[in-house]
Amino acid sequence: MESTLSRTLRTALDALADAGTVVLGERPTMEHLLLSVFLLSGLYMIWGAREFSADAATFPRVTAGAMVVFSALLLARNYLPGPLRSVATTPVQLLSSDDTRADIAGTADAELDQSASRDSAGSYTYDVDDPCGPAVVAGLCVLYTGLTFTIGMLYATPIFVGAYALWARLSLPRATVLVAGSFGIAYAFFLAVTPEIAVGWYTGWRFPVPVAPDLPVSTLLGGDPA
Amino acid sequence: MSLEAFGVALETLFTAETMAWVIAGILLGIVVGALPGLGPPLGMAIILPLTLPLEPTNAIVLLISVYSGSMYGGSIAAILINTPGVSSSAATMFDGYPMSEQGRAATALSISATASSIAGIITVVTLLAFSPFLVAVVLAVGTPERFLVAVLGLAMITVVTRGSMLKGLLAGVAGLAVTTVGSAPMSLDNRYTDSILLYDGINFVAVLIGLFAIAEMMKLAGQDGGIADADVRIGGGVSTGIRETLNRPVTVVKSGFLGMLIGSIPGAGATVSNFIAYSEAVRSSDDPGSFGTGNETGVIASEASNNGTVAGSLVPAISFGIPGSSSTAVLIGGLLMHDLRPGQSMFDPGGELALTYAMLLALLIGNLVILLVGISLIPRLDVLTKIDTDYIIPVVIVLSFLGTYALDTNPVDVLTLLLFGVVGFYMIRYNYSVIAFVLGVVLGDIAEDNLFRSLELSDGSYMIFVDPFEYGWLSPLLFGLICVVLLGPFLKSGLERFRG
């Protein structure tokens, strides 16, 4: 049974999406949010550049100005005249793996689509099988960051991994190994690289840490012994 | 060639410590490349903060070895489970997996190791042979030309993308805009520094790790598959694979050089060269119908090309700071992190030329290590295809967070990592070129610095970029090239429409 609150929320979101469709000429997606972030960041940077000297303001103004123009064009792509619209929407390339894909006989498109081009400069897209996955990982990363700022990264690490193991429904022995391993990694960092990770940066809280063995740990990574 | 610098490079490289980093990098690269969903940029990005305590030479040698090793590693998953560990091994699947199904997985894997190694060695030797010419070109380039080369690199990437040009341009300028935070390079102005923690600007290494590690892990969490469910049986003969490769020298050499050529084009990368080399092998074959059914030549062409790309992509990267691929973008990040600036200093015998030679020699030795390791580990390589992503994701994120915080112990870096991880995920999702964005981040300071100096030279006149009579011909030539690159695709399509 759907609660009144969730019904109201869904209605509000639908109304917002409908309004967005009217404004944008298409159903709003996270891409529009991304473009809005670029647009607002560009406007803020142009506005902020007022306070800089002429020499220091030129480059930020040019880049932020271009950011504003390009993101505005992409947001308004459904209302652009023909040639300008094709610039905004048509894939244009001099060289891409796509060009050669067509030449390879007997290759299934679906198979080729799996080869998202990470190591070419060509941007690539991918299908998300489970939209919940990226959202959960992002949410857990936010939690990890929050804990880092409050209790410190040393103890935030096993909590984050434990939360992930819980979401991924790992068996208890596997989850335990993973959590213990992650704490081991964090502890190695604490000893060898950054003892500051035991402190919450924002709160200054410092929890007790296991006794550090008396090792010249900086040599682990090839540096000079401390 | 500066023999003195070359001698210093040899002396530096052939120490137990540096050789250990080469081998460690190759092994790590093979593992990272073989795990579907990871890949060289991610592996290199995670390692980047860990190289801080290392000598610059060892750090760069480690990074480049990871890059080289992962190019081979990608073929393991492609051959054994029909999933490319890295996108640059996509074409390897077409014939590698059928060979595996026919019980010839060991043959396919040894073909991959041999072709990768031979092509890698040939292309690096070629690069070393041409290095004096490259040195002359780089040293001849002045301030305005350096600015224009940066713009040209950005322009090329926007037209090599699979999305719209406008999206590529937006990604590029957004990357440039990121670099305007912090102290201005030519004045004492602090820009957009609402907090003292931002005085040094946004840490580009944190940006790289966010884009290549956090965004990739978000992506991986939303994808099914990529892990071998069933037992993979590795049959066939290792020596047969070596013999098959050596019997096709033309394919190895041609594909390797194709990879090198395409890799040297900013943004084209190993994925493009991989497909082009494969289709060229199909085109020039007497029996094109046999491709896709387990033809050894297909595996050779694909694997020779992607390792050839490594040497090629270093040309724009170390000459002008323009990454030819995501991996070289991270490599440039490593150079900058260790106070090494791509460009003239990397080719100056009194500067970092010895390091440049050491880098190339490390690649050369790394390719030999690939051959030895690849062939000796073939019976055990299936283990790498069975690692569950549920272990990979949290471990990679933990390493990313810890490594990022270790950079400067600056909490802003952690926020940067998180922000650009999420932004990167959606950029990739909606076809905005991440590499154009990274290029902007890497090139921002260089571009602004050179723009400012150029305008100082010309008393504020932008004619310095286009006037051949007063300022020389190279700048106008580069400016013309930028126009051609940006307008070329439209002129081409207009011409096609005109012809009907």
Side-chain angles (χ1 to χ4, degrees), chain B residues 326-357:
Chain B
S326 305
S327 306
T328 41
V330 182
L331 184 70
I332 289 169
L335 287 170
L336 294 171
M337 202 173 85
H338 287 275
D339 294 326
L340 300 162
R341 216 169 169 138
Q344 291 188 328
S345 69
M346 296 297 291
F347 292 91
D348 183 359
E352 305 297 344
L353 185 60
L355 174 71
T356 303
Y357 283 142

Side-chain angles (χ1 to χ4, degrees), chain A residues 45-72:
Chain A
M45 291 178 92
I46 292 169
W47 178 77
R50 291 171 304 120
E51 298 166 11
F52 312 150
S53 66
D55 289 339
T58 304
F59 197 69
R61 277 199 188 119
V62 170
T63 53
M67 230 165 104
V68 168
V69 170
F70 296 153
S71 47

Side-chain angles (χ1 to χ4, degrees), chain B residues 197-441:
Chain B
L197 294 168
L198 279 170
Y199 277 16
D200 286 335
I202 291 174
N203 193 317
F204 66 89
V205 178
V207 175
L208 290 177
I209 299 173
L211 291 171
F212 293 128
I214 302 298
E216 287 296 330
M217 290 306 100
M218 284 174 66
K219 167 197 152 185
L220 206 56
Q223 284 187 320
D224 298 332
I227 305 297
D229 297 323
D231 271 348
V232 180
R233 199 175 59 81
I234 299 187
V238 173
S239 58
T240 312
I242 298 170
R243 210 169 36 246
E244 292 285 1
T245 310
L246 296 177
N247 286 341
R248 294 169 173 81
V250 175
T251 305
V252 176
V253 173
K254 185 169 66 174
S255 304
F257 281 127
L258 262 175
M260 187 180 182
L261 185 71
I262 293 161
S264 65
I265 300 168
T271 307
V272 177
S273 72
N274 183 248
F275 281 103
I276 288 179
Y278 184 86
S279 59
E280 170 56 23
V282 174
R283 191 200 60 78
S284 59
S285 170
D286 295 333
D287 184 18
S290 65
F291 282 81
T293 61
N295 187 324
E296 296 87 348
T297 308
V299 180
I300 293 168
S302 167
E303 285 304 304
S305 71
N306 63 29
N307 271 63
T309 308
V310 176
S313 67
L314 289 180
V315 175
I318 56 180
S319 305
F320 303 108
I322 296 170
S325 64
S326 305
S327 306
T328 41
V330 182
L331 184 70
I332 289 169
L335 287 170
L336 294 171
M337 202 173 85
H338 287 275
D339 294 326
L340 300 162
R341 216 169 169 138
Q344 291 188 328
S345 69
M346 296 297 291
F347 292 91
D348 183 359
E352 305 297 344
L353 185 60
L355 174 71
T356 303
Y357 283 142
M359 212 189 307
L360 297 177
L361 289 168
L363 256 184
L364 199 65
I365 292 158
N367 280 299
L368 287 171
V369 175
I370 285 172
L371 183 65
L372 297 173
V373 168
I375 283 169
S376 58
L377 290 184
I378 280 171
R380 298 270 165 269
L381 288 176
D382 59 320
V383 171
L384 295 174
T385 63
K386 294 176 182 171
I387 299 173
D388 199 322
T389 48
D390 281 335
Y391 301 137
I392 295 169
I393 292 169
V395 169
V396 166
I397 291 173
V398 162
L399 285 171
S400 302
F401 269 76
L402 288 165
T404 300
Y405 194 63
L407 289 169
D408 284 323
T409 58
N410 184 345
V412 169
D413 292 347
V414 177
L415 293 173
T416 302
L417 172 84
L418 183 65
L419 173 71
F420 286 98
V422 175
V423 167
F425 172 78
Y426 285 109
M427 282 179 76
I428 297 164
R429 180 100 177 80
Y430 293 106
N431 221 353
Y432 290 78
S433 172
V434 165
I435 186 70
F437 184 83
V438 168
L439 183 66
V441 173

